[in-house]
Amino acid sequence: MDIPGTPTAPPHAIGVRRRLLGISLKTMAQEAGLSPEVLAAVERGEYDPRSLHLQAQRVLGRVLDISL
């Protein structure tokens, strides 16, 4: 959900934050209900994380403590 005035994390921040927390790509993707390939594309900036299904956005935001 995009709330005016709330900064959103750039796509590469998702991968940086995931790695800092020691979460594997496969684990994070599985928890968010995504394929590892889609999550990797998001982390490379090839796919807008705001276009992911709502559940994936919520899981990524909660686990990584970022706003999408």
Side-chain angles (χ1 to χ4, degrees), residues 39-68:
L39 182 55
V42 168
E43 291 181 358
R44 289 191 304 267
E46 297 172 359
Y47 194 85
D48 187 346
R50 294 171 297 175
S51 64
L52 296 172
H53 58 82
L54 191 55
Q55 180 65 23
Q57 290 180 39
R58 287 180 179 156
V59 169
L60 291 173
R62 178 181 46 81
V63 172
L64 302 176
D65 194 26
I66 57 175
S67 295
L68 299 179

